[in-house]
């Protein structure tokens, strides 16, 4: 009976007043995060996905195959405001990560945490490799998705404490926006709903404000869903693509938790995550919030079972970190203990993140990577060399007789390459680029008048399956001997398409990985 009473607390009965927010201390952490992100964001160049979102922003009518419209819209806005500025493009995500530092402290505060708990939580967030150099370094859907998971979690916890039903409306409206970045936020609510049904407070699910917000979210999602339906649900095909990528990278269930604990959470975050889930489930002082512990454990298990990417649920971790920090604070550690135990731990984790274990900032000179074997794990290197690739395509294009250029198109084998050509090609006078890879396929096929193609990113065999004449004329060379995904690829001049472009486009799968 006592459990039921806690789970079904009357709406008008709020929990104790939350402690004051440690503005000064948290602002120091947030300022350090902002300085580090701003100070390193310019180092190399655009990441491949960033170029794709910028291209999708220029093709909004057909750029919704593998993501909702929010990130392409943001990328387009930054393009119009800042042109080809890398820092300008990344300003929104840097702002989200800095806001995430404050959100992490606010979550600790909602759980009853004082200044120490708030500072500990903000510190874990600040040394998380994912938030600093996944979400915080390159413009991506996950940058926004992890922020909206965190913000929605804070609003839900705040409702539990205050029982102000407007907070559920706000949470649903945040979800409406978040679903326009990535549909994965729906998994958060499914996990929360199941946990609330099992542990309470069940009255949350009966609140009209929550359902009003849900209606708004559904209405906002209609244009995206209609586009997906009209194009046979290409977003659903991404599930298979991601599964193939994980398998190709040697991932899966065996590597899910190692990646989650190293790259996403970081060493300190991994420990705090485990402590936090247990604290939410079993700590008496956190009993009103135990549904979140069950939801977190359940969502993590589902992602693991389905071979999902561990960073998809990064926004879920922040509440768990806060719960761990709260129970640590409640044990009453002495100031000396905090200084001589917590201080060095945070410092070591910060150094590990900066050093690059497992994924650090782009602080190394490019010469550091020269002649190293190609590795998909060196994602920083995919921020370098795109203009050089476009230079190689330009060399091939200029090798085409001038009279033939009017019927020449550009064909790229990978959507990153196509996006780089869309970014840097027009200023070099190159024809419009086309690619059958992933969402770029939906941007359209080459014109039927194109009888010559400059081809990059295709193997000789694949090019020969499309054209009667294939000739390699140059190689991509980034000038730094950096072995990334495009270095050393051949650029072909291809003539005589073996079928119409419409037939060729249908022949090539739009969602190959």
């Amino acid at each position: 009976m006592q459990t039921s009473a806690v789970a079904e607390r009357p709406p008008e009965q709020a929990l104790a007043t939350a402690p004051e927010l440690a503005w000064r201390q948290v602002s120091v952490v947030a300022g350090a995060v902002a300085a580090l992100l701003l100070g390193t964001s310019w180092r190399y160049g655009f990441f491949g996905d960033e170029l794709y979102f910028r291209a999708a922003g220029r093709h909004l009518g057909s750029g919704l195959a593998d993501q909702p419209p929010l990130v392409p819209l943001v990328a387009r806005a930054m393009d119009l405001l800042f042109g080809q500025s890398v820092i300008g493009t990344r300003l929104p995500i840097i702002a989200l990560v800095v806001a995430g530092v404050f959100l992490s402290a606010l979550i600790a505060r909602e759980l009853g945490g004082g200044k120490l708990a708030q500072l500990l939580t903000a510190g874990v967030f600040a040394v998380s490799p994912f938030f600093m150099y996944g979400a915080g370094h390159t413009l991506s859907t996950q940058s926004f998705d992890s922020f909206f998971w965190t913000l929605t979690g804070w609003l839900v916890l705040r409702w539990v404490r205050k029982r102000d039903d407007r907070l559920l409306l706000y949470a649903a409206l945040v979800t409406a926006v978040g679903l326009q970045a990535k549909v994965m936020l729906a998994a958060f609510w499914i996990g929360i709903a199941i946990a609330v049904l099992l542990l309470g407070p069940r009255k949350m699910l009966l609140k009209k404000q929550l359902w009003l917000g849900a209606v708004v979210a559904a209405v906002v999602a209609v244009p995206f869903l209609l586009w997906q339906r009209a194009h046979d649900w290409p977003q659903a095909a991404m599930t298979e693509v991601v599964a193939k990528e994980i398998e190709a990278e040697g991932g899966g269930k065996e590597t899910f938790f190692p990646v989650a604990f190293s790259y996403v959470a970081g060493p300190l975050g991994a420990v705090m995550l485990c402590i936090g889930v247990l604290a939410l489930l079993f700590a008496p002082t956190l009993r009103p919030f135990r549904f979140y512990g069950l939801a977190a454990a359940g969502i993590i298990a589902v992602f693991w079972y389905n071979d999902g990417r561990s960073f998809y649920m990064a926004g879920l971790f922040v509440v768990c970190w806060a719960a761990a920090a709260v129970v640590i604070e409640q044990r009453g550690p002495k100031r000396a203990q905090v200084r001589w135990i917590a201080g060095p731990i945070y410092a070591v984790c910060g150094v590990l993140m900066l050093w690059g274990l497992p994924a650090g900032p782009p602080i190394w000179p490019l010469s550091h990577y020269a002649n190293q074997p190609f590795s998909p794990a060196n994602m920083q290197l995919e921020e370098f060399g795109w203009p050089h690739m476009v230079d190689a395509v330009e060399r091939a294009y200029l090798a085409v007789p001038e009279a033939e250029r009017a019927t020449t198109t550009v064909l790229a084998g990978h959507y990153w390459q196509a996006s780089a050509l869309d970014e840097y090609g027009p200023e070099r006078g190159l024809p419009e680029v086309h690619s059958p890879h992933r969402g770029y396929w939906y941007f359209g096929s080459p014109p039927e008048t194109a009888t010559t193609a400059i081809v990059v990113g295709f193997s000789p065999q694949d090019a020969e399956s499309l054209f009667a004449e294939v000739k390699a004329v140059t190689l991509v060379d980034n000038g730094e001997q950096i072995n990334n995904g495009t270095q050393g690829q051949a650029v072909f001049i291809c003539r005589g398409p073996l079928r119409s472009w419409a037939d060729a486009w249908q022949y090539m799968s739009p969602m190959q990985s």
Side-chain angles (χ1 to χ4, degrees):
M1 294 301 292
Q2 185 178 0
T3 301
S4 177
V6 173
E8 299 295 343
R9 187 182 301 275
E12 67 275 4
Q13 184 177 352
L15 300 180
T17 303
E20 293 184 2
L21 182 63
W23 280 107
R24 186 187 309 171
Q25 295 88 335
V26 176
S27 295
V28 171
V29 176
V33 166
L36 188 58
L37 292 178
L38 286 170
T40 57
S41 65
W42 58 273
R43 286 283 293 158
Y44 299 155
F46 288 115
F47 184 61
D49 278 345
E50 289 179 301
L51 290 168
Y52 175 63
F53 292 130
R54 288 171 64 87
R58 303 183 193 106
H59 300 80
L60 282 173
S62 53
L64 303 177
D66 41 13
Q67 77 281 311
L70 179 60
V71 178
L73 280 170
V74 172
R76 181 57 177 160
M78 297 302 102
D79 187 10
L80 293 174
L81 287 172
F82 302 107
Q84 292 182 345
S85 168
V86 176
I87 295 179
T89 298
R90 293 172 177 174
L91 284 177
I93 60 167
I94 293 173
L96 291 182
V97 172
V98 172
V101 175
F102 287 102
L103 265 180
S104 65
L106 287 169
I107 289 171
R109 176 177 176 266
E110 292 302 325
L111 297 177
K115 291 183 178 180
L116 175 60
Q118 294 171 33
L119 187 58
L120 290 175
T121 307
V124 176
F125 188 97
V127 298
S128 161
F130 170 78
F131 281 107
M132 289 299 293
Y133 287 100
H137 181 60
T138 58
L139 183 75
S140 68
T141 55
Q142 198 57 38
S143 305
F144 290 83
D145 189 50
S146 58
F147 173 78
F148 286 120
W149 279 58
T150 305
L151 179 56
T152 305
W154 172 63
L155 290 168
V156 169
L157 297 185
R158 188 166 174 80
W159 176 84
V160 173
R161 186 179 67 81
K162 293 181 67 68
R163 298 306 171 102
D164 182 346
D165 294 342
R166 291 174 298 179
L167 292 165
L168 294 177
L169 174 61
Y170 301 154
L173 294 178
V174 166
T175 300
V177 179
L179 289 173
Q180 297 304 301
K182 197 176 183 72
V183 297
M184 206 64 67
L185 188 54
F188 172 88
W189 279 107
I190 293 172
I192 290 293
I194 293 173
V196 166
L197 283 172
L198 293 174
L199 299 178
R202 298 181 184 90
K203 289 184 179 179
M204 176 196 298
L205 302 180
L206 301 177
K207 296 299 180 181
K208 62 181 181 181
Q209 290 86 347
L210 177 64
W211 291 104
L212 175 61
V215 170
V216 173
V219 171
V220 171
V222 166
F224 174 67
L225 294 174
L226 289 176
W227 193 96
Q228 286 282 317
R229 180 183 178 185
H231 295 82
D232 296 325
W233 305 100
Q235 176 77 73
M238 282 299 297
T239 302
E240 183 177 352
V241 170
V242 170
K244 289 181 179 179
E245 286 183 348
I246 293 175
E247 182 179 356
E249 295 166 2
K253 293 182 178 64
E254 296 80 8
T255 61
F256 180 86
F257 286 107
V259 172
F261 289 161
S262 57
Y263 167 64
V264 182
L268 178 59
V271 175
M272 296 288 277
L273 173 63
C274 297
I275 295 174
V277 171
L278 294 174
L280 286 164
L281 287 171
F282 302 113
T285 55
L286 297 177
R287 190 173 181 81
F289 308 100
R290 63 183 180 140
F291 70 91
Y292 196 97
L294 180 61
I299 293 171
I300 291 171
V302 168
F303 276 102
W304 168 81
Y305 182 79
N306 288 284
D307 293 328
R309 294 190 183 275
S310 52
F311 58 79
Y312 286 169
M313 57 188 184
L316 193 72
F317 291 178
V318 182
V319 172
C320 302
W321 294 339
V326 168
V327 296
I328 290 172
E329 182 184 58
Q330 289 172 349
R331 294 182 65 87
K334 297 179 180 179
R335 183 180 297 272
Q337 292 176 312
V338 174
R339 179 180 301 171
W340 296 110
I341 298 177
I345 290 175
Y346 277 78
V348 168
C349 290
V351 169
L352 288 175
M353 182 191 65
L354 290 172
W355 189 260
L357 178 65
I363 60 176
W364 300 107
L366 288 170
S367 59
H368 173 77
Y369 299 102
N371 295 313
Q372 290 187 10
F374 169 74
S375 171
N378 287 338
M379 298 302 288
Q380 297 98 327
L381 302 186
E382 303 304 335
E383 299 174 36
F384 173 74
W386 297 118
H388 301 83
M389 184 211 70
V390 180
D391 289 341
V393 172
E394 182 185 17
R395 291 195 299 271
Y397 179 67
L398 294 177
V400 174
E402 188 171 353
E404 191 180 342
R405 293 175 192 170
T407 56
T408 298
T409 188
V410 177
L411 190 65
H414 195 284
Y415 74 102
W416 286 357
Q417 297 168 330
S419 301
L421 286 159
D422 186 81
E423 184 75 35
Y424 302 112
E427 64 196 39
R428 291 166 168 80
L430 295 178
E432 182 180 4
V433 62
H434 304 273
S435 175
H437 192 224
R438 288 208 187 179
Y440 221 100
W441 183 90
Y442 292 89
F443 294 0
S445 62
E448 296 296 342
T449 56
T451 56
T452 301
I454 308 301
V455 176
V456 64
F458 281 70
S459 68
Q461 294 79 11
D462 287 339
E464 289 167 358
S465 71
L466 297 172
F467 299 93
E469 178 185 338
V470 176
K471 180 182 180 182
V473 293
T474 188
L475 298 176
V476 176
D477 184 4
N478 55 44
E480 298 283 350
Q481 298 179 315
I482 303 298
N483 292 316
N484 57 17
T486 303
Q487 173 71 351
Q489 288 195 2
V491 182
F492 305 95
I493 296 178
C494 301
R495 296 181 173 92
L498 297 178
R499 64 188 80 188
S500 71
W501 283 111
D503 289 344
W505 226 239
Q506 293 303 317
Y507 168 76
M508 292 183 280
S509 171
M511 277 297 167
Q512 57 186 314
S513 61

